[in-house]
Amino acid sequence: MLLQLILTPLGWLKNSVSVVAEDALLATLSAGPIPQHVAFILDGNRRYARSKDKQVNLGHTDGFYNLKKMLEVCIKMKVRCVSAYAFSIENFKRSPGEVEALMDLAEQKLLEFCEQGSILEQYGIKLVVVGHKDMLPERVRAAAEKAEALTAHHDRAIFNLCMPYTSRDEMTTAVQTCIQECLVNESMDSKISAEDIDAHLMTSLAGSPPLDILIRTSGVKRLSDYLLWQCSEDTQLQFSNKYWPEFGMLDFVPIILDYQRKAWAQAS
Ligand code: FPP
Ligand code: MG
């Protein structure tokens, strides 16, 4: 009991000191060139869970908490747009139990985003659920639409939660929309340009700036159908060996320093 009385304030003090130190580091970094758009492929939740003798679903839950943490880190660093690959269309092929648990988690967290004092309200972040939303169960779609409507007027930052998403689906949809617009405007002779497709991508419609950094965790070096169009210009691809729930500031800061070093080299 006595030990607890001593340790509780000590733990609180340690946390407060590390938050202050973290904020100071982020403020210092944000004095240099900062990426406008950072995207994450959140990989390794299940391997993380197994490595900790936890249930797979708890790996996804810890993955969500880390996503919130990294979103906050990015916003404090003044990154304008954060994208996260939360659920691929391919993920529907996983076991019904895992898909159901991921959908439960998504619904619960999207509804939490709607609560007063949520991270989205606190930092003025607009949530955009990017992807083939009609593939989601009705309850998840409703939660997504509610969170989007509640945050639509936020203008400090954009959070693209990509689910259910694949890049090929996004590109196909963009081309289809371009064709439909040509048909409606009876301008079939006009060619569809790369700029037309770019403007009709779901991320562009959400107002996302060009993608500066794409990070994939868990030691896997593939893009897995994520933001393929967006990362084909000046995007820096970064791969971390950490499982997503364990990816943190110590992994992220060197990536930002590398970005700044390249930006300064280009400018000189
Ligand atoms: C990849 O790890 C992760 C996913 C497929 C799901 C990611 C989802 C979250 C972090 C939470 C999403 C939040 C919301 C609001 C939906 P993996 O399952 O491929 O793990 P593995 O690579 O170790 O097998
Ligand atoms: Mg994986």
Side-chain angles (χ1 to χ4, degrees), residues 4-204:
Q4 204 178 357
L5 273 176
I6 298 169
L7 287 181
T8 307
L10 273 182
W12 177 84
L13 189 67
K14 193 171 150 239
N15 281 346
S16 309
V17 169
S18 71
V19 168
V20 170
E22 202 175 284
D23 285 358
L25 173 61
L26 294 174
T28 310
L29 281 171
S30 69
I34 284 298
Q36 283 209 83
H37 185 173
V38 175
F40 295 101
I41 300 181
L42 324 168
D43 199 19
N45 289 354
R46 296 182 297 186
R47 277 168 286 162
Y48 157 84
R50 283 185 213 112
S51 75
K52 302 267 175 215
D53 279 329
K54 289 184 176 191
Q55 285 178 350
V56 161
N57 296 342
L58 292 178
H60 291 313
T61 306
D62 286 357
F64 176 80
Y65 287 121
N66 200 43
L67 176 57
K68 229 167 79 171
K69 164 79 191 156
M70 290 312 300
L71 174 64
E72 188 175 33
V73 165
C74 288
I75 301 306
K76 282 184 177 174
M77 210 187 266
K78 300 194 172 55
V79 174
R80 167 112 187 93
C81 178
V82 175
S83 297
Y85 206 2
F87 194 87
S88 158
I89 292 175
E90 293 298 308
N91 289 153
F92 280 115
K93 294 178 186 156
R94 292 191 176 188
S95 74
E98 189 182 347
V99 173
E100 179 82 4
L102 273 166
M103 291 299 138
D104 286 347
L105 180 67
E107 182 189 10
Q108 184 196 337
K109 297 303 171 191
L110 285 164
L111 291 175
E112 274 177 32
F113 281 150
C114 300
E115 287 170 10
Q116 231 180 1
S118 83
I119 185 171
L120 304 184
E121 189 187 43
Q122 198 185 340
Y123 292 104
I125 306 167
K126 177 171 88 164
L127 174 80
V128 186
V129 178
V130 173
H132 218 109
K133 270 186 279 191
D134 55 353
M135 295 173 91
L136 292 170
E138 177 51 37
R139 63 195 171 91
V140 183
R141 195 163 68 232
E145 280 165 5
K146 186 174 174 193
E148 286 183 315
L150 276 169
T151 61
H153 63 288
H154 291 172
D155 58 6
R156 252 184 81 189
I158 300 167
F159 177 33
N160 293 320
L161 191 62
C162 301
M163 59 175 288
Y165 174 92
T166 60
S167 209
R168 281 177 293 178
D169 176 67
E170 182 189 33
M171 289 189 260
T172 310
T173 308
V175 173
Q176 281 167 350
T177 314
C178 288
I179 293 171
Q180 270 160 15
E181 285 180 5
C182 283
L183 288 172
V184 169
N185 299 326
E186 292 177 356
S187 54
M188 271 307 277
D189 52 332
S190 62
K191 287 202 183 101
I192 294 172
S193 65
E195 288 73 28
D196 293 328
I197 296 173
D198 195 275
H200 287 83
L201 294 174
M202 294 163 183
T203 46
S204 307

